[in-house]
């Protein structure tokens, strides 16, 4: 039973364009949302997060949008760079229930020159 | 490098053997988490430990798996009598405290069971 879904296994974007990665969740009790980036043979590295009291958080080229009514989260990268090519995982938690981060299966982003 | 250190990077075991995976958290971090990633899957939470205490093991299989984080030394994830289905990447993460904070992950241990 997948509580966190990333329905696009892969995405290809041209350098300089916007990359939009999407994530849907089913549990309305989730209240903290993170994006991690993972290169091959490395562990995930934290990218950006947002709490349920906000609907947008921006950090440089990265912006996360949260639509609680739709239970939808998205990560925008603009402009995209070849070094952004990696697997992106959304990770979500319910701060009032346990300590687990619930990860999606990931979206593999390829930014082409 | 003061990051989360995991060893070994690769571990090969035959069915029925024991696997021991080690994790040293970032300096100053006293909270350790273990996650498992099966092929084509996302990371799945296994266990959360603080020094000498298991806080949440809701993701740990009931049999063959155990974890510890002693007062001195690294955290250990132990898998007894490994089976082929245990083949996965095992990631350790640490945090300084408040579980709302982001986790810092190690590079993982790739366990292969023959």
């Amino acid at each position: 039973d997948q509580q966190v879904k990333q329905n696009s296994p892969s995405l290809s974007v041209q350098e300089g364009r916007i990359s939009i990665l999407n994530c849907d969740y089913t549990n309305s009790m989730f209240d903290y949302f993170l994006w991690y980036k993972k290169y091959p043979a490395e562990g995930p590295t934290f990218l950006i997060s947002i709490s349920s009291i906000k609907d947008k958080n921006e950090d440089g080229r990265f912006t996360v949008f949260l639509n609680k009514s739709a239970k939808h989260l998205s990560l925008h990268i603009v402009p995209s760079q070849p070094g952004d090519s990696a697997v992106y995982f959304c990770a979500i938690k319910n701060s009032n229930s346990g300590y687990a981060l619930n990860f999606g299966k990931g979206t593999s982003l390829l930014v082409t020159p | 490098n003061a990051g989360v250190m995991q060893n070994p990077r690769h571990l090969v075991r035959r069915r029925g053997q024991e696997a021991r995976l080690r994790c040293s958290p970032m300096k100053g971090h006293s909270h350790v988490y273990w996650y498992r990633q099966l092929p084509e899957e996302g990371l799945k939470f296994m266990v959360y430990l603080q020094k000498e205490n298991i806080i949440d093991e809701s993701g740990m299989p009931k049999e063959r798996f155990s974890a510890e984080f002693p007062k001195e030394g690294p955290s250990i994830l132990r898998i007894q009598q490994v089976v082929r289905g245990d083949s996965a990447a095992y990631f350790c993460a640490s945090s300084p405290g408040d579980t709302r904070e982001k986790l810092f992950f190690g590079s993982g241990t790739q366990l292969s069971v023959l």
Side-chain angles (χ1 to χ4, degrees):
Chain A
D1 181 23
Q2 195 79 12
Q3 294 192 78
V4 180
K5 294 181 182 178
Q6 292 179 257
N7 291 320
S8 297
S10 62
L11 176 67
S12 183
V13 171
Q14 255 188 329
E15 182 178 6
R17 302 278 204 153
I18 184 170
S19 295
I20 300 176
L21 297 100
N22 294 303
C23 179
D24 296 295
Y25 59 95
T26 57
N27 189 340
S28 58
M29 300 302 292
F30 286 147
D31 61 352
Y32 197 57
F33 307 84
L34 307 94
W35 284 95
Y36 280 84
K37 175 180 177 179
K38 185 181 181 303
Y39 293 116
E42 294 184 13
T45 55
F46 170 78
L47 201 53
I48 193 168
S49 64
I50 188 169
S51 73
S52 57
I53 61 174
K54 292 186 174 182
D55 54 18
K56 177 183 174 181
N57 188 25
E58 192 172 349
D59 183 2
R61 296 185 297 114
F62 303 91
T63 304
V64 56
F65 294 92
L66 176 62
N67 183 335
K68 290 187 289 294
S69 61
K71 297 192 185 69
H72 180 79
L73 182 71
S74 64
L75 174 69
H76 292 209
I77 307 172
V78 57
S80 302
Q81 299 173 354
D84 295 329
S85 298
V87 178
Y88 290 78
F89 293 96
C90 65
I92 308 177
K93 71 185 298 182
N94 174 359
S95 299
N96 297 312
S97 175
Y99 298 87
L101 276 178
N102 299 277
F103 281 81
K105 291 187 178 184
T107 296
S108 179
L109 173 65
L110 176 65
V111 180
T112 56
Chain B
N1 186 345
V4 178
M5 302 300 294
Q6 288 189 249
N7 68 81
R9 289 296 305 270
H10 298 92
L11 182 61
V12 179
R13 286 287 178 265
R14 296 192 180 279
R15 280 179 296 171
Q17 291 184 319
E18 178 180 288
R20 282 188 176 233
L21 290 66
R22 293 175 183 77
C23 170
S24 296
M26 282 184 72
K27 189 175 181 181
H29 288 191
S30 58
H31 300 241
V32 166
Y33 308 76
W34 285 93
Y35 282 79
R36 174 165 70 170
Q37 184 182 23
L38 295 169
E40 309 300 323
E41 296 287 326
L43 283 75
K44 302 287 188 194
F45 170 78
M46 299 182 76
V47 63
Y48 163 47
L49 311 101
Q50 296 178 21
K51 283 285 187 181
E52 300 185 276
N53 288 303
I54 296 174
I55 307 302
D56 181 353
E57 57 182 348
S58 58
M60 286 278 271
K62 296 288 183 254
E63 298 177 348
R64 303 186 298 107
F65 285 72
S66 62
E68 62 176 6
F69 189 16
K71 187 176 180 182
E72 301 291 338
S75 175
I76 306 287
L77 179 68
R78 183 183 177 205
I79 311 171
Q80 295 178 288
Q81 299 173 328
V82 296
V83 301
R84 289 224 171 104
D86 297 333
S87 296
Y90 291 81
F91 292 97
C92 170
S94 71
S95 69
D98 185 343
T99 54
R100 266 192 171 268
E101 296 185 12
K102 63 190 181 188
L103 302 183
F104 294 82
F105 282 86
S107 296
T109 293
Q110 181 65 51
L111 173 66
S112 298
V113 179
L114 304 179

